[in-house]
Amino acid sequence: MTADSDLKDFIERHARLFVLTGAGCSTNSGIPDYRDGDGQWKRTQPVTYQAFMAGAATRQRYWARSLVGWRHIGAARPNPAHRALARLESAGRSEMLVTQNVDRLHQAAGSAEVIDLHGRIDIVRCMACDHVLPREAMQEALTRLNPGWAGRDAARAPDGDADLEAADFADFAVPDCARCRGLLKPDVVFFGETVPRDRVEAAFAHLARADAVLVVGTSLMVRSGFRFVEAAVAAGKPVAAVNLGRTRADALLTLKVARPCEDALAFLL
Ligand SMILES: [Zn+2]
């Protein structure tokens, strides 16, 4: 266990921080994490890109659960961990905040320089014509087409999902694109999907300008985030991590703080 002063020291010693955040930042805002303290799946793995694109039944189940889960994620508010990182930016210490979260809570807390590595849950995109609509408009369409489902409730799950199970999702109506009747998909990077290249390149360009990396609330089990830590270490840049459980990068870290994000970062507020 490391003292708070060590993290404070680390942040003071490095003028430009590349901040990489994950689900642990948002758990205190009521958005559950996918993984336990050992980085293992807590629940059934989320739907893959391939299954979503290929199967109408998969999309019916996805949107039925999302109709219920959106109420929770849509109402989530930033917590002190988000506010502490926004403060870091306003102090001119954040080269860039790259987040694996899709909940937009960093922006809600006041962070302006953010790369949403895995996209954003508050937007829906047509896979045929690229038309985008707010998730709120999708919610209205889902509710209008499925009045019998709108009143249901279920335990919340990550990324605006809910643990809703039904014997049959076959009567659930999924809206399609109002312009071209194309397939609508949340504008988030699904498991099995690749992060857009320009987004990755932008993040690496910021990493090159940073002099250290601060990891907050992620086990780094997903390669799309872990590769930034690998690259930083290869370039001789120190990496500190705040995470309650094990991370994939534990052996590479200069400093590890095993505490809740909002506690470990409280000194910034
Ligand atoms: Zn379309």
Side-chain angles (χ1 to χ4, degrees), residues 45-109:
Q45 288 203 20
V47 63
T48 64
Y49 174 76
Q50 289 74 14
F52 185 89
M53 296 303 290
T58 301
R59 293 192 293 276
Q60 285 175 310
R61 180 173 181 276
Y62 177 90
W63 285 114
R65 292 166 61 102
S66 179
L67 167 60
V68 173
W70 175 254
R71 288 202 291 267
H72 300 303
I73 197 166
R77 294 290 170 263
N79 69 62
H82 300 108
R83 286 196 285 276
L85 293 173
R87 190 68 66 86
L88 195 68
E89 180 189 308
S90 61
R93 307 298 308 286
S94 180
E95 166 62 31
M96 181 53 66
L97 193 162
V98 175
T99 186
Q100 304 174 112
N101 299 340
V102 298
D103 54 36
R104 302 282 291 177
L105 291 179
H106 287 300
Q107 290 88 345

Side-chain angles (χ1 to χ4, degrees), residues 125-131 176-184:
R125 184 178 297 273
C126 172
M127 300 309 284
C129 77
D130 247 10
H131 175 58
D176 49 21
C177 176
R179 286 199 184 157
C180 79
R181 311 294 310 274
L183 188 162
L184 295 174

Side-chain angles (χ1 to χ4, degrees), residues 75-176:
R77 294 290 170 263
N79 69 62
H82 300 108
R83 286 196 285 276
L85 293 173
R87 190 68 66 86
L88 195 68
E89 180 189 308
S90 61
R93 307 298 308 286
S94 180
E95 166 62 31
M96 181 53 66
L97 193 162
V98 175
T99 186
Q100 304 174 112
N101 299 340
V102 298
D103 54 36
R104 302 282 291 177
L105 291 179
H106 287 300
Q107 290 88 345
S111 287
E113 298 295 315
V114 180
I115 293 177
D116 296 307
L117 192 63
H118 293 164
R120 42 194 291 189
I121 196 77
D122 61 342
I123 284 181
V124 174
R125 184 178 297 273
C126 172
M127 300 309 284
C129 77
D130 247 10
H131 175 58
V132 293
L133 63 147
R135 176 62 182 76
E136 221 28 84
M138 185 71 173
Q139 188 75 3
E140 286 165 21
L142 288 165
T143 305
R144 190 170 59 245
L145 291 173
N146 302 281
W149 291 73
R152 301 199 193 187
D153 203 5
R156 60 189 75 183
D159 292 345
D161 187 18
D163 281 328
L164 179 69
E165 285 305 342
D168 197 359
F169 290 99
D171 71 336
F172 192 85
V174 177
D176 49 21

Side-chain angles (χ1 to χ4, degrees), residues 23-32 77-82 105 260-263:
C25 243
S26 292
T27 46
N28 198 30
S29 292
I31 299 172
R77 294 290 170 263
N79 69 62
H82 300 108
L105 291 179
C261 307
E262 60 277 11
D263 293 353

Side-chain angles (χ1 to χ4, degrees), residues 232-252:
V233 171
K237 300 180 190 209
V239 180
V242 175
N243 195 55
L244 264 180
R246 193 171 78 79
T247 83
R248 186 177 175 181
D250 278 356
L252 303 174

